[in-house]
């Protein structure tokens, strides 16, 4: 067997249902950009979960990093339907182009909601399962204040919370 191919990605947003300011795809684009494919690896100097994935996986020669997508937006109101559709389409495209994957490390902050989708983190886990099937391990780090839903638990292999605040254990 060749080395293990591990897909990595991240969707980060803290949604507030009290805010009337919707979070658009433009908000994701302007906050550090939406990195797709190899662009995900170009930002390995930042301090986030993707950087942690890269640092750990590069220490293991039998692991091949398969970058998928990384996108985040500053905390604001609910994510718009257009933003969900754009992020989902890009994620599905990247998964289909990735070829065989043996596992996924996908950071979900654990606090995303959208217009008509209260559990946006669970929604994106559903997308991962629809594309990958039930056998592929999916591990997701979450913020300490994540809203962990039954859907997230059922669709992931492991959910791991940060242990420090400020977050220095990304």
């Amino acid at each position: 067997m060749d080395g293990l191919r591990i897909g990595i990605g991240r969707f980060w947003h803290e949604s507030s249902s009290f805010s009337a300011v919707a979070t658009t795809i433009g908000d994701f684009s302007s906050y550090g950009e939406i990195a797709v494919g190899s662009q995900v690896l170009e930002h390995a100097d930042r301090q986030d979960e993707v950087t942690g994935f890269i640092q750990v996986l590069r220490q293991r020669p039998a692991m091949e990093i398969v970058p998928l997508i990384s996108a985040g937006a500053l905390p604001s109101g609910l994510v718009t339907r257009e933003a969900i559709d754009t992020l989902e389409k890009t994620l599905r495209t990247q998964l289909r182009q990735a070829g065989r994957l043996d596992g996924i490390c996908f950071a979900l902050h654990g606090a995303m909601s959208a217009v008509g989708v209260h559990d946006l983190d669970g929604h994106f886990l559903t997308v991962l399962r629809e594309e990958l099937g039930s056998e592929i391990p999916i591990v997701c780090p979450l913020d300490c204040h994540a809203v962990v839903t039954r859907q997230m638990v059922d669709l992931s292999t492991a959910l791991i919370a940060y242990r420090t605040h400020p977050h220095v254990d990304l």
Side-chain angles (χ1 to χ4, degrees):
M1 178 174 144
D2 292 331
L4 296 176
R5 301 184 78 242
I6 308 299
I8 64 169
R10 171 180 172 261
F11 286 144
W12 182 87
H13 184 256
E14 289 184 17
S15 304
S16 172
S17 61
F18 297 110
S19 174
V21 179
T23 303
T24 67
I25 195 63
D27 294 319
F28 283 91
S29 296
S30 65
Y31 180 71
E33 85 175 328
I34 300 172
V36 178
S38 63
Q39 293 173 332
V40 174
L41 301 176
E42 294 171 9
H43 300 282
D45 60 336
R46 67 186 172 240
Q47 193 65 20
D48 67 17
E49 303 90 345
V50 170
T51 303
F53 298 155
I54 293 168
Q55 289 172 353
V56 170
L57 293 171
R58 282 187 174 160
Q59 294 173 16
R60 291 158 175 80
M63 300 283 184
E64 178 186 349
I65 299 170
V66 181
L68 301 169
I69 183 173
S70 179
L74 289 172
S76 191
L78 299 178
V79 178
T80 65
R81 186 76 239 178
E82 176 195 18
I84 297 169
D85 292 344
T86 301
L87 294 173
E88 179 179 332
K89 180 180 178 186
T90 305
L91 176 59
R92 286 184 189 277
T93 298
Q94 289 304 111
L95 288 166
R96 291 171 186 167
Q97 292 175 355
R100 184 196 99 238
L101 292 174
D102 299 298
I104 295 283
C105 294
F106 206 95
L108 294 169
H109 197 68
M112 286 195 300
S113 292
V115 176
V117 183
H118 297 297
D119 180 8
L120 191 50
D121 299 289
H123 173 80
F124 286 125
L125 281 167
T126 298
V127 169
L128 288 169
R129 284 291 174 216
E130 286 174 356
E131 294 296 327
L132 300 170
S134 61
E135 300 303 314
I136 302 287
I138 298 175
V139 177
C140 300
L142 301 169
D143 197 294
C144 303
H145 67 84
V147 178
V148 179
T149 66
R150 171 57 49 196
Q151 182 179 16
M152 292 166 63
V153 171
D154 290 345
L155 294 171
S156 63
T157 306
L159 299 171
I160 302 165
Y162 307 152
R163 287 182 242 157
T164 60
H165 184 74
H167 308 313
V168 295
D169 60 336
L170 295 170

